[in-house]
Amino acid sequence: MDATWTHEDRREIGQHFVFGFHGYEASEDAKELINKYHVGNIILMKRNVQSVKQVHALVQSLQQCARDAGHRHPLMIGIDQENGLVSAFSSTAKYQAGTQFPGAMAIAATGDPECARKCSAASAREMKAVGINWSYSPVGDVNSNPQNPVIGVRSFGDDPTKVARFAKAVGDGLTQGGHGDTDIDSHLGLPIINKSRTELDQTELKPFKALIDAGVASIMTGHMVIQALTGDVETPASLSRAVTTTLLREELQFEGVVVTDCLEMNAVKERQGGVPRGAVEALAAGADVVMVCHTMAFHVGAMETTYEAVQKGELQIDELRKSGERITELKRKFAGTWDDVLGNPFNEKAMNALQATNKKLSEEAYAKSTALISGSLPVFSSGKIVVMTPVVESLNAAVDDAEGVQRTEKGHVRNTAAPYYMSFADSVGRRAADVEHLVYAADFDCRRDFGEGLIFVTRNADRSAWQLDVLERVVTQASSGVPIVVLASCAPYELFSGRVFGVQACVASFEYTSEALEACVSVIFNEVPPVGESPVGIRSLGQ
């Protein structure tokens, strides 16, 4: 390997990766990736976010490291900020960071694309203020399959036209918020999609066409197999030239940056050659940027394997340079100059003012998202109200588990109620003098007193039908005349299943963030009218 190859071509190859790392400060691993491997893009995750001020300092140190290492352009700093359940930048019970806004299905329930645009713009302003310039959002997937655990409430609904309208509004908001870059995130969910090309055109691809026509800057490819496009049942879309080049570049005429979803997901990691080989296949398929989020050994392995592939002629350096021009254009447009990224001290006063405004906007949006699916809301008496919430199961690794969560052998979270359900019960407690919070599992003993009012919370009970079994026993056991309100705290499909009867009202929040559940309590207690409408319905269930 000659010296010129080593220097210039290594720099080029580094621009084609986005890597993650651990910790609230720039780790030694992150510095090595930027210095030695010239990695041009970094993804931040929940594990990197402690506060807005800390994220600003972290981004500044990463950018300074890149400048010192001789990078020609600043780093793209990405984050999964779809809002709702996938909000890496938002505050948690432990840390005060970005403002929590409604996720895709909740914001679509408002029926107001302008509300979606405003929330995205507000979120983007916060991210821009700390130096984040690449949001892996919005999700352009149509929730045509309610059994799809990856997407669920991360989709704007089951109508391709409405999904396109809301995805475009979110994209516009991110751009207008000064954030610039948006990225349509496609997981499309299932490992194998057995749909014809015509069906794909009518449903799955419709929002993507609309966003491409609107000039979206980047698209994320997922690891599903789409037989109608790939022609086999083994090649994930992210590693398929038929998807990345033929479909996106040639047919849909997408000219922006294509970034893969994280290659550490099992669909790629468990293939022959694993993550490093996957990186080469993704670049050969036409991806511009390959994402590897977690493990240093995979980061280094992906880089070294790509070097070898270029040396052997399996990857053409000229093609990578051409692809690199798209990445450079992305950086010019959204990262700006070194003065842009390093010349901005953190303005705490301005951030506090922005977040105060954004909190109000968030509350208004959540208030418009809660939907009354059926029945009429009761007026609870002054007697005891029982709140029942389910034990938490892990249905989706993308949204469920923080690192370090302990589980029982059955997959239930150890200890008591989930924190968001505890905050929900507390919120009910601020409106009722006597509240009992019960956490129920499949073997819940229903031989008990259910007070003078019951709020029964479900979470994806269409897939965890044991919750509906418990509900049926509760309805049978509760005294006649006790008003029962069922709250679907995630996707609302169980409310359309025909298994929820004998209750006074069914309400949907479309996500179990504390903010969504707080808005729901306001509706249940008749403080705010339920104006939301479900973006998914019976047609999704094929009924």
Side-chain angles (χ1 to χ4, degrees), residues 188 193-207 209 226-229 247:
L188 292 176
I193 295 176
N194 295 308
K195 285 197 170 186
S196 70
R197 178 58 199 269
T198 306
E199 289 174 305
L200 289 171
D201 281 333
Q202 288 168 349
T203 305
E204 275 78 6
L205 295 177
K206 204 168 180 179
K209 286 175 180 169
I226 315 172
Q227 279 180 284
L229 299 177
L247 175 68

Side-chain angles (χ1 to χ4, degrees), residues 138-144 151 154-169 171 182-186 188 195 199-216 218-219 248 252 254:
V139 170
D141 296 322
V142 178
N143 217 0
S144 52
I151 300 305
R154 298 167 66 194
S155 166
F156 294 103
D158 57 15
D159 179 331
T161 305
K162 286 182 182 171
V163 170
R165 193 180 305 141
F166 275 92
K168 184 178 180 305
T182 63
D183 173 291
I184 328 170
D185 183 353
S186 169
L188 292 176
K195 285 197 170 186
E199 289 174 305
L200 289 171
D201 281 333
Q202 288 168 349
T203 305
E204 275 78 6
L205 295 177
K206 204 168 180 179
F208 292 90
K209 286 175 180 169
L211 285 155
I212 288 168
D213 289 345
V216 73
S218 58
I219 289 180
L248 286 177
L252 299 182
F254 176 60

Side-chain angles (χ1 to χ4, degrees), residues 38-357:
H38 312 287
V39 168
N41 315 280
I42 295 288
I43 179 171
L44 300 182
M45 309 194 81
K46 206 80 171 168
R47 64 182 181 227
N48 306 118
V49 176
Q50 207 170 18
S51 72
V52 284
K53 191 173 185 177
Q54 165 266 328
V55 173
H56 180 273
L58 170 60
V59 171
Q60 289 286 298
S61 66
L62 290 168
Q63 294 287 18
Q64 190 62 57
C65 180
R67 188 175 192 180
D68 293 346
H71 287 230
R72 291 190 184 93
H73 301 281
L75 304 168
M76 292 301 292
I77 305 285
I79 198 162
D80 255 343
Q81 185 67 14
E82 297 168 15
N83 287 316
L85 300 181
V86 180
S87 298
F89 183 59
S90 296
S91 298
T92 62
K94 195 173 177 186
Y95 294 121
Q96 190 66 38
T99 302
Q100 177 73 59
F101 286 100
M105 196 172 286
I107 205 76
T110 67
D112 184 359
E114 179 59 15
C115 178
R117 188 195 62 75
K118 283 181 179 172
C119 288
S120 291
S123 192
R125 285 186 196 102
E126 291 185 6
M127 289 189 282
K128 188 187 182 196
V130 299
I132 296 168
N133 51 28
W134 201 359
S135 179
Y136 303 118
S137 161
V139 170
D141 296 322
V142 178
N143 217 0
S144 52
N145 177 6
Q147 297 300 313
N148 180 346
V150 177
I151 300 305
V153 294
R154 298 167 66 194
S155 166
F156 294 103
D158 57 15
D159 179 331
T161 305
K162 286 182 182 171
V163 170
R165 193 180 305 141
F166 275 92
K168 184 178 180 305
V170 167
D172 289 348
L174 287 167
T175 308
Q176 288 158 4
H179 195 261
D181 189 22
T182 63
D183 173 291
I184 328 170
D185 183 353
S186 169
H187 297 77
L188 292 176
L190 293 173
I192 299 178
I193 295 176
N194 295 308
K195 285 197 170 186
S196 70
R197 178 58 199 269
T198 306
E199 289 174 305
L200 289 171
D201 281 333
Q202 288 168 349
T203 305
E204 275 78 6
L205 295 177
K206 204 168 180 179
F208 292 90
K209 286 175 180 169
L211 285 155
I212 288 168
D213 289 345
V216 73
S218 58
I219 289 180
M220 179 178 282
T221 52
H223 305 317
M224 62 291 163
V225 171
I226 315 172
Q227 279 180 284
L229 299 177
T230 60
D232 64 49
V233 293
E234 279 134 29
T235 310
S238 53
L239 311 185
S240 164
R241 197 162 180 92
V243 173
T244 310
T245 299
T246 308
L247 175 68
L248 286 177
R249 294 276 181 235
E250 294 168 9
E251 293 180 27
L252 299 182
Q253 297 186 318
F254 176 60
E255 294 175 0
V257 167
V258 175
V259 56
T260 70
D261 206 343
C262 178
L263 297 195
E264 290 194 53
M265 294 178 182
N266 289 344
V268 176
K269 189 163 72 171
E270 292 175 1
R271 282 168 65 85
Q272 190 170 358
V275 174
R277 183 68 206 155
V280 172
E281 289 183 50
L283 292 170
D288 299 302
V289 178
V290 171
M291 181 183 288
V292 185
C293 291
H294 309 292
T295 312
M296 186 65 172
F298 288 143
H299 297 147
V300 173
M303 298 297 304
E304 300 285 0
T305 308
T306 303
Y307 294 161
E308 286 171 25
V310 171
Q311 283 183 286
K312 288 178 187 167
E314 185 183 356
L315 288 174
Q316 300 301 318
I317 194 68
D318 289 347
E319 275 195 27
L320 287 176
R321 285 205 182 95
K322 195 175 169 190
S323 160
E325 288 170 14
R326 285 190 285 269
I327 300 166
T328 299
E329 181 56 29
L330 190 77
K331 292 190 167 197
R332 281 204 185 103
K333 205 168 174 184
F334 302 120
T337 65
W338 286 116
D339 286 345
D340 292 331
V341 297
L342 292 173
N344 297 310
F346 183 68
N347 187 333
E348 197 151 4
K349 193 175 175 187
M351 178 58 86
N352 289 341
L354 176 61
Q355 292 203 309
T357 305

Side-chain angles (χ1 to χ4, degrees), residues 372-381 452-454 456 471 475 480-486 500-507 524 526:
L372 177 64
I373 303 295
S374 61
S376 59
L377 290 164
V379 176
F380 288 115
S381 72
E452 294 181 38
L454 173 63
F456 189 94
L471 175 62
V475 169
S480 63
V482 170
I484 300 174
V485 175
V486 175
V500 180
F501 45 84
V503 304
Q504 187 150 351
C506 291
V507 177
I524 290 170
N526 296 291

